[in-house]
Amino acid sequence: MSLDAVVSRAPTPAILPGSGGLRGGLSDLFWRRPKFLLTLMLAPPLLWLGIVYIGSLFALLAQSFFSIDEFSGLINREFTLKTYGDLFQAANLDIILRTVTMAALVTLASAVIAFPIAYYAARYARGRWKALFYLGVMLPLWSSYLVKIYAWKLILAKEGILTWLLAKLNLLWLLDAWLSLPIVGGNSLSVSFTGTFIVFVYVWLPFMILPVQAALERVPGNLVEASSDLGASPGQTFRNVLFPLALPGIVAGSIFTFSLTLGDYIIPQIIGTSRLFIGQAVYSQQGTAGNIPLAAAFTVVPIVIMGFYLWGAKRMGAFDAL
């Protein structure tokens, strides 16, 4: 064999020569320094998160330590806890308590409604039926948020379809009796605490169904069968097998339902009474009253509540079910 043939069969060197041009130089640089490439890719989202989002939160927190001058209406930019003291006034505490109560009730109702739906989808729905399940759950999320709320306002109105249906069933007396109750009642469902609750549950329910369904998908079917074989009743199987294993998914869903209810101000603005929620209080204090420090202090309340809520949810393994 000639020397030229041996040379032509020699293996290609492991380190190739550098590419030419600017594009080739950058490619070689990124290949030799992968950490530099990773830093370059993560820099824009981290800057956005750090400056725009977290920075705005710190600015909001700083505003809450200012106060409003009662005579001139101008912001007094000196450190004080007076604004937080104003949160403990009876009217403001009532707003906070009302919002937290609504968020807790919406979360509880969403969990009760979502569990059987998610259980059926996880245990029995297959193929086309599972696709229809996901379509049915996700379809309301594709429509306009405001359109859904105004549609519910028409449904719950005194002249709406729900009142008409109850009248046809001779159950209008039951609705009138409920609306006559203090706090939860009103002139109609569209201007009552109950109406606000119904719309909150409808709007946030998909955010509870999907995490619960994902958690129930992870429950081995043989555990349920073993529980039945050992003589457990359906209630005992639910309490001792299904519910503990699905609890991380329920807590994961509650993160969405609870936090979204805490901060929402559009639903209570359109459907409900004149009693304010935290979101409405922030809007009115920042816009109508011009009391930006008190608006900022109101905004800190759900942040603190959700901080403790997320800490407890993490300890319960909720993030594993997201």
Side-chain angles (χ1 to χ4, degrees):
M1 183 179 294
S2 63
L3 181 61
D4 293 337
V6 173
V7 172
S8 64
R9 292 185 180 182
T12 304
I15 301 178
L16 299 177
S19 304
L22 178 61
R23 182 177 178 180
L26 289 175
S27 177
D28 294 340
L29 175 64
F30 293 152
W31 182 79
R32 291 189 178 95
R33 300 177 182 274
K35 292 184 178 180
F36 175 72
L37 175 61
L38 180 63
T39 303
L40 199 63
M41 293 176 64
L42 292 179
L46 288 177
L47 287 174
W48 173 269
L49 180 66
I51 297 176
V52 177
Y53 183 70
I54 299 180
S56 62
L57 287 180
F58 276 110
L60 182 69
L61 181 64
Q63 291 276 358
S64 67
F65 290 105
F66 299 153
S67 62
I68 196 81
D69 190 280
E70 297 178 357
F71 296 99
S72 64
L74 300 177
I75 298 177
N76 183 13
R77 300 184 182 277
E78 295 181 359
F79 181 86
T80 180
L81 295 177
K82 177 181 178 299
T83 304
Y84 282 100
D86 293 339
L87 283 179
F88 291 94
Q89 294 179 359
N92 295 331
L93 279 178
D94 184 56
I95 293 173
I96 296 172
L97 180 61
R98 182 182 305 113
T99 307
V100 174
T101 302
M102 175 64 79
L105 292 176
V106 169
T107 299
L108 181 61
S110 298
V112 172
I113 298 172
F115 193 93
I117 300 174
Y119 181 77
Y120 175 82
R123 293 278 295 169
Y124 301 107
R126 295 291 183 271
R128 182 180 301 176
W129 288 108
K130 178 157 286 190
L132 288 175
F133 161 77
Y134 284 115
L135 182 64
V137 172
M138 299 297 293
L139 192 60
L141 299 178
W142 300 347
S143 59
S144 171
Y145 178 73
L146 285 176
V147 168
K148 290 185 291 186
I149 297 173
Y150 277 109
W152 270 103
K153 187 174 182 64
L154 294 176
I155 293 171
L156 299 174
K158 184 173 291 187
E159 303 82 9
I161 188 174
L162 184 59
T163 304
W164 173 84
L165 180 61
L166 292 175
K168 289 294 183 181
L169 297 174
N170 295 321
L171 295 175
L172 195 57
W173 62 271
L174 184 61
L175 176 62
D176 293 336
W178 180 263
L179 292 176
S180 65
L181 296 175
I183 300 177
V184 298
N187 293 330
S188 69
L189 284 175
S190 63
V191 288
S192 66
F193 195 82
T194 304
T196 310
F197 167 78
I198 292 173
V199 179
F200 267 132
V201 172
Y202 167 79
V203 172
W204 307 140
L205 185 60
F207 296 97
M208 177 66 77
I209 293 176
L210 294 176
V212 176
Q213 189 264 344
L216 289 173
E217 287 273 7
R218 301 189 183 102
V219 178
N222 55 7
L223 290 181
V224 179
E225 296 172 0
S227 177
S228 299
D229 294 340
L230 293 173
S233 65
Q236 290 174 322
T237 301
F238 171 78
R239 290 191 301 270
N240 300 318
V241 179
L242 284 177
F243 183 74
L245 294 176
L247 187 58
I250 296 174
V251 177
S254 71
I255 294 173
F256 296 104
T257 58
F258 191 81
S259 62
L260 292 172
T261 305
L262 274 181
D264 193 280
Y265 78 95
I266 297 178
I267 292 178
Q269 187 76 17
I270 298 174
I271 298 176
T273 64
S274 59
R275 295 190 290 267
L276 298 180
F277 287 73
I278 288 179
Q280 294 171 287
V282 172
Y283 180 80
S284 62
Q285 291 294 337
Q286 187 272 337
T288 306
N291 193 343
I292 296 179
L294 185 57
F298 263 117
T299 308
V300 172
V301 173
I303 294 176
V304 173
I305 293 174
M306 286 309 303
F308 286 104
Y309 198 92
L310 291 174
W311 174 77
K314 182 179 179 182
R315 290 179 60 89
M316 300 180 69
F319 294 154
D320 298 332
L322 289 175

